[in-house]
Amino acid sequence: MSLVQRWALAIAAVLAIVAVGVALGAWFVHTHERVERSVPLPPSGEAAVNPLYALRQTLRAEGIDTHSRLRLQPEEFADAADDTVLLHGDPSLLTMPEVEALLAWVARGGHLLLRTPPERAGTTASVPPLLRRLGVDALHPAECASLHVQGQPGHTEFCNGSRFTLKPDVAPRLQWSDSEDGHVYVRIARGRGSVDLLADFDFLGNRVLDEAAHQALARQLLGARHGAGTVHLVHGGQPVSLWRNLARRAWPAWVPFALLLAAWLWRRGQRFGPWLPSPEAGRRSLLEHVRASGDLLYRYGQSKLLYTAAREAFLARLQRREPAAAALAGDARVAAIATRLQLPHLTVRDALTTPQANDRHAFFARVRTLIQMRNRL
């Protein structure tokens, strides 16, 4: 097949592939219809931890100065008599200094909204100090209340909070009670200000505030001071300990680490009982054996034998490398070696002379010279 034919075949194959792709695309567009679908995503960021996030954004959109935080912090609104504070958490968690500061602020003209404590383990909670100071006599089990908003289907609210009854000497401005089991909402005057007490605040949550009935109820509660002062939304509940937070949220990190630690401890725990040292492994280094043999011979006065071995090793290499010099004797051999190795005549002669048995320095010096002479050959 020629080059032109190969190119023509390749172009035809590409055109065929393009034609098939266009045909498939046309078929897909003709047989399928584009449909948009809205998929609700779980809340993220602040909306995931702040149950009053939607309420805050709604109030800000209406031009109302609104702030949200985890803790009460009475110093933030102590000097603002026109402000509104919505305490979303359990009022029984407030300390006595916070209770006193909150009631003093209400008496100066503040507007406080709070709920009753939630039921715990199927029993009604005891009346916390703040509610007792406001005139609450007792708490009763939760019971839903009917809510009717014009133009909207029927609703039931306050199903998760405790109902309450007031002391006989407390006369609320507004009250909501559709049965003999207590109130679900009252507005109590205190000094220049007022307190709205509700069974719960579930209708203010992020997921349900978009319902018209919940919006109407929220407007009735917050409308008493609409546009006046700042609204403080306190959404913090009972503080969670660090260890509980780690156990609930950080387990993807500490569980693998704990498994690795357990595996490492199992690997290192080689035996039970008292620790016994492992037997020392035998060593087979030839150089160590040679050094040990030399130390033993020198310690027992066999330095002459060691010197003789060093000199014989030098003479054996001299015989192989310089047989003419090795064949000489006396000063002639010394002179030939000194000339060959470029060493002083006296140094070579001393190295080839056996040292005295008790002359330690002469022994080491001559053995060292013999090794150097041997290495130069």
Side-chain angles (χ1 to χ4, degrees):
M1 183 180 294
S2 64
L3 180 61
V4 176
Q5 291 177 335
R6 286 199 297 268
W7 274 105
L9 184 60
I11 293 174
V14 171
L15 292 177
I17 294 174
V18 171
V20 171
V22 171
L24 290 176
W27 170 82
F28 181 84
V29 172
H30 180 70
T31 57
H32 291 74
E33 181 183 358
R34 184 183 182 91
V35 177
E36 293 185 359
R37 185 177 62 177
S38 298
V39 178
L41 297 177
S44 61
E46 184 183 358
V49 296
N50 183 1
L52 302 178
Y53 178 80
L55 177 61
R56 187 192 69 183
Q57 298 302 105
T58 303
L59 294 176
R60 287 181 177 178
E62 294 183 0
I64 302 175
D65 187 16
T66 309
H67 303 282
S68 60
R69 55 179 174 271
L70 289 172
R71 299 291 174 261
L72 181 61
Q73 299 176 345
E75 65 275 4
E76 296 291 334
F77 51 86
D79 299 329
D82 293 333
D83 286 0
T84 299
V85 175
L86 191 153
L87 185 61
H88 186 267
D90 188 348
S92 61
L93 301 177
L94 296 177
T95 62
M96 287 308 300
E98 291 176 335
V99 171
E100 296 295 338
L102 203 56
L103 293 178
W105 168 76
V106 173
R108 292 193 297 269
H111 182 203
L112 174 64
L113 294 92
L114 70 159
R115 56 160 297 168
T116 59
E119 293 184 347
R120 296 182 177 90
T123 60
T124 304
S126 60
V127 181
L130 176 58
L131 271 61
R132 191 170 296 278
R133 295 281 297 274
L134 293 174
V136 176
D137 185 45
L139 299 177
H140 305 284
E143 182 181 348
C144 297
S146 301
L147 174 63
H148 301 283
V149 178
Q150 186 176 2
Q152 297 294 325
H155 270 70
T156 56
E157 301 294 341
F158 310 112
C159 298
N160 299 317
S162 302
R163 292 197 174 211
F164 55 93
T165 54
L166 301 177
K167 296 178 181 179
D169 57 342
V170 178
R173 290 181 180 176
L174 300 174
Q175 60 181 341
W176 182 354
S177 176
D178 58 357
S179 69
E180 297 180 355
D181 295 329
H183 303 285
V184 293
Y185 165 73
V186 293
R187 174 169 290 174
I188 305 171
R190 186 176 182 87
R192 298 180 181 178
S194 61
V195 178
D196 286 7
L197 178 60
L198 294 87
D200 64 52
F201 282 133
D202 291 351
F203 60 94
L204 297 178
N206 295 333
R207 295 181 178 274
V208 297
L209 192 60
D210 58 344
E211 299 181 16
H214 295 163
Q215 294 174 5
L217 183 56
R219 184 172 294 276
Q220 289 294 325
L221 295 176
L222 298 171
R225 298 282 182 89
H226 189 275
T230 302
V231 177
H232 304 269
L233 304 178
V234 184
H235 61 87
Q238 185 174 7
V240 182
S241 67
L242 174 63
W243 298 111
R244 182 177 297 180
N245 244 344
L246 290 176
R248 292 177 55 187
R249 303 193 177 190
W251 64 265
W254 62 260
V255 167
F257 177 76
L259 293 177
L260 288 175
L261 180 60
W264 180 80
L265 291 175
W266 175 79
R267 175 66 181 85
R268 300 299 297 176
Q270 298 180 0
R271 56 173 67 86
F272 295 98
W275 177 261
L276 297 176
S278 301
E280 187 176 356
R283 294 179 295 178
R284 304 181 61 182
S285 174
L286 179 60
L287 181 59
E288 291 184 0
H289 285 286
V290 171
R291 288 177 178 174
S293 300
D295 291 340
L296 181 63
L297 291 174
Y298 183 81
R299 189 179 304 116
Y300 284 94
Q302 299 296 325
S303 59
K304 184 178 180 180
L305 180 62
L306 295 174
Y307 167 78
T308 302
R311 187 178 64 180
E312 292 301 327
F314 167 72
L315 293 177
R317 178 169 290 189
L318 180 66
Q319 180 67 35
R320 292 193 303 270
R321 303 289 174 83
E322 296 291 339
L328 300 176
D331 289 341
R333 184 170 63 177
V334 171
I337 294 173
T339 303
R340 170 65 176 79
L341 302 179
Q342 296 181 356
L343 291 174
H345 186 276
L346 182 60
T347 301
V348 176
R349 185 175 61 184
D350 288 344
L352 295 176
T353 303
T354 303
Q356 296 294 328
N358 57 355
D359 193 348
R360 179 174 178 271
H361 295 287
F363 167 75
F364 284 109
R366 294 180 185 183
V367 170
R368 188 182 303 111
T369 304
L370 286 172
I371 293 174
Q372 294 175 356
M373 293 165 55
R374 181 175 178 273
N375 292 337
R376 288 192 178 188
L377 288 175

